[in-house]
Amino acid sequence: MKLWRSLFVAASLLAAPLNLAHAQSAPPVKAKNVVLVHGAWADGSSWSEVIPILQAAGLHVTAVQNPLSSLADSVDATRRALAEQDGPTVLVAHSWGGTVISQVGTDPKVTSLVYIAARAPDANEDFVALSKQFPTGPVRAGIVERDGYTTLSEDAFLKYFANGVAPEKAKELYAVQWPTAASIFAGRTTEAAWHTKPSWYAVSKQDDTINPDFERFLAKRMKATTVELDAGHLSLVSHPKEVAKLILQAAGYGQS
């Protein structure tokens, strides 16, 4: 019964259209595992809506508890999680977590990369300078810094960071937001795994944190298989089925 239920979940997700803007030239490698990396002002629970869908499809899922204290610390945490995986693994990131998977994704276990409204820096790139070529999201006005760490004000979190999320859920996410070192945003990677690994990207069309046109630019630069979701920044919470479907495709569970 469990096997039939898993097959049904995967099949029903893959049958739904996703409006993919680009296609990979070759089928992705079939993966056994998915490692999820959250972004700034969040913790691993931000993936709670996506995880059960991936598990029901038969994938082994690990959500990294990203320390957000420095780029090096976050990279180390993801590498530790990746070292525990047995076999081909899809590496997925939301928001600032895209910086981490761009660095770590060169690991031979990683078969594909998935970016959910995420940063995707090139090696040694000044990503802050690059982002200034696009309008700044209104969430920035709500950043509060203390002792070198940042959080979002409740108003900015609920109105801009979690726009499109049910109010009760948005308040829960606000309560568990993880303080984020101010220094991590300027951190530079030494690798850009998306140059050599197949990549997928979910653009959030209503994003008030990262400009949607900036997301489109990053996806196009990576030549990523791209989907546009009618969602705010936290599409992994408001649109978990669509996000899970994209991850399943990157894991070799179906094609567009």
Side-chain angles (χ1 to χ4, degrees):
M1 181 64 72
K2 184 177 180 181
L3 174 61
W4 281 108
R5 184 165 60 250
S6 297
L7 291 173
F8 174 79
V9 170
S12 62
L13 282 171
L14 294 170
L18 253 190
N19 248 349
L20 294 174
H22 306 288
Q24 301 292 338
S25 57
V29 174
K30 191 72 174 285
K32 297 172 58 179
N33 316 294
V34 176
V35 172
L36 305 167
V37 183
H38 67 81
W41 309 308
D43 69 2
S45 68
S46 59
W47 294 104
S48 62
E49 304 295 327
V50 174
I51 290 170
I53 302 173
L54 299 178
Q55 290 176 331
L59 285 162
H60 175 260
V61 184
T62 302
V64 177
Q65 291 296 349
N66 189 347
L68 299 174
S69 49
S70 69
L71 175 56
D73 290 346
S74 297
V75 163
D76 286 347
T78 302
R79 283 185 171 145
R80 286 194 297 272
L82 194 54
E84 295 175 357
Q85 307 307 308
D86 178 20
T89 302
V90 177
L91 200 51
V92 186
H94 174 245
S95 195
W96 182 80
T99 304
V100 177
I101 70 167
S102 295
Q103 179 73 33
V104 179
T106 55
D107 187 290
K109 284 185 182 178
V110 176
T111 55
S112 57
L113 305 168
V114 182
Y115 294 79
I116 310 299
R119 290 176 162 223
D122 207 342
N124 201 38
E125 182 171 57
D126 186 342
F127 199 79
V128 173
L130 178 67
S131 68
K132 288 180 180 178
Q133 298 179 27
F134 297 84
T136 299
V139 76
R140 185 176 295 275
I143 296 175
V144 179
E145 183 173 347
R146 178 178 295 172
D147 298 328
Y149 280 80
T150 65
T151 56
L152 290 178
S153 69
E154 184 172 7
D155 184 65
F157 192 102
L158 300 179
K159 188 181 295 184
Y160 302 121
F161 192 70
N163 61 315
V165 175
E168 297 80 7
K169 183 65 176 179
K171 288 179 180 179
E172 177 186 323
L173 294 169
Y174 169 73
V176 300
Q177 72 163 307
W178 198 250
T180 301
S183 61
I184 70 172
F185 298 105
R188 298 194 187 193
T189 63
T190 58
E191 305 281 353
W194 48 264
H195 280 297
T196 56
K197 299 293 176 78
S199 300
W200 279 254
Y201 199 108
V203 172
S204 287
K205 294 195 291 184
Q206 309 301 327
D207 203 321
D208 287 330
T209 299
I210 299 178
N211 185 278
D213 284 335
F214 189 24
E215 295 176 12
R216 294 181 182 106
F217 165 83
L218 296 171
K220 184 176 181 180
R221 182 171 73 164
M222 288 191 291
K223 299 180 174 61
T225 298
T226 305
V227 61
E228 298 217 355
L229 302 179
D230 191 16
H233 191 57
L234 295 180
S235 59
L236 67 171
V237 180
S238 64
H239 290 66
K241 290 182 179 179
E242 292 90 335
V243 169
K245 176 178 168 66
L246 196 67
I247 296 169
L248 285 169
Q249 290 181 350
Y253 278 63
Q255 293 298 294
S256 58

